[in-house]
Amino acid sequence: MPGGLLLGDEAPNFEANTTIGRIRFHDYLGDSWGILFSHPRDFTPVCTTELGRAAKLAPEFAKKNVKMIALSVDSVEDHLAWSKDINAYNGQEPTEKLPFPIIDDKNRDLAILLGMLDPAEKDEKGMPVTARVVFIFGPDKKLKLSILYPATTGRNFDEILRVITSLQLTAEKRVATPVDWKVKTLKGQIPSSPSRPKGPVSKWLSSGSFLLGALFLARTHTGRTFPYG
Ligand code: BEZ
C-alpha cells in the first residue's frame, strides 16, 4: 500500500470532516500529545468494543495530555449513529456524543495518505477497509510511535496507555524502558546513552546499578530529581 508515516515524520496538517465539525489536524492537536487511531468499519463488533474501551479510557488519555481522534472509511452520519451504539455498549445513554471525534474518510484520502488500508479486508464494493492503526504524535507534531494491526485483531488499550507513559518519560529523561515495563516497577528504568554497561548486559541489569544510573542521568540532564517509581 502506498503512503504511510515513519517515526519522526511530521503529521500532515490535513483538513477533514469529523463528528465535531471540520477540523485542521494541527489546530486540533494544539500543544498536546495526540493519538490518531483508525478502525475498519462502523457498526462492526470488534470496532464497537475498541471504541467503547477508548471512550471509557478518555479521562486517562486527558490526564496524560493526549488528544484522541478516530478515523474510518465511513461517513460522519454513520459515525454519529454508531456513537449511540458505542455508548449503549458502555451502559450509558445512547447519545451521539463520544469523548473524541471520528474522522469521515469515506473517500479513503487519509487512509491512503497515512498508509492505513488493510488489503486483506474488503467492503461490499471490494474496496479495502481501514486497518487498526495507532499513531502517537508528540507536542511537536512528530510521529513518536506507530502500531499497525490488521482489521481482524482488536487492540489492547492498556498497552497503548503504557507506551504513552514510556514515550512521555523518555521524552523528558534520558532513560529507556525495558520489556513489559510499567510505571509502578521501581527497577524498570534503564538509562539510555551515553551510559552503557561494561561487560554482559545481563549482569549489569541484575546488579541494580542501572537504576542508580537512571537516577544519576535524570539529575544530570534535567537538574531535577527522578520522580518515577
Ligand atoms: C469488526 O470490527 O468486528 C471487524 C471489522 C473488520 C473485519 C473483521 C472484524
Side-chain angles (χ1 to χ4, degrees), residues 112-162:
I112 291 168
L113 175 74
L114 299 172
M116 288 177 154
L117 291 176
D118 183 343
E121 292 295 322
K122 308 234 165 79
D123 67 10
E124 53 289 347
K125 293 185 189 140
M127 297 289 287
V129 296
T130 353
R132 300 182 198 276
V133 174
V134 179
F135 284 145
I136 297 171
F137 299 100
D140 59 0
K141 318 275 186 300
K142 302 239 170 93
L143 184 69
K144 305 300 181 193
L145 177 138
S146 71
I147 318 179
L148 174 57
Y149 295 71
T152 41
T153 300
R155 283 160 285 207
N156 181 327
F157 274 76
D158 291 327
E159 168 63 2
I160 294 171
L161 284 170
R162 190 191 73 87

Side-chain angles (χ1 to χ4, degrees), residues 40-41 44-48 121 129 132 151-152:
R41 294 304 301 268
T44 49
V46 177
C47 297
T48 305
E121 292 295 322
V129 296
R132 300 182 198 276
T152 41

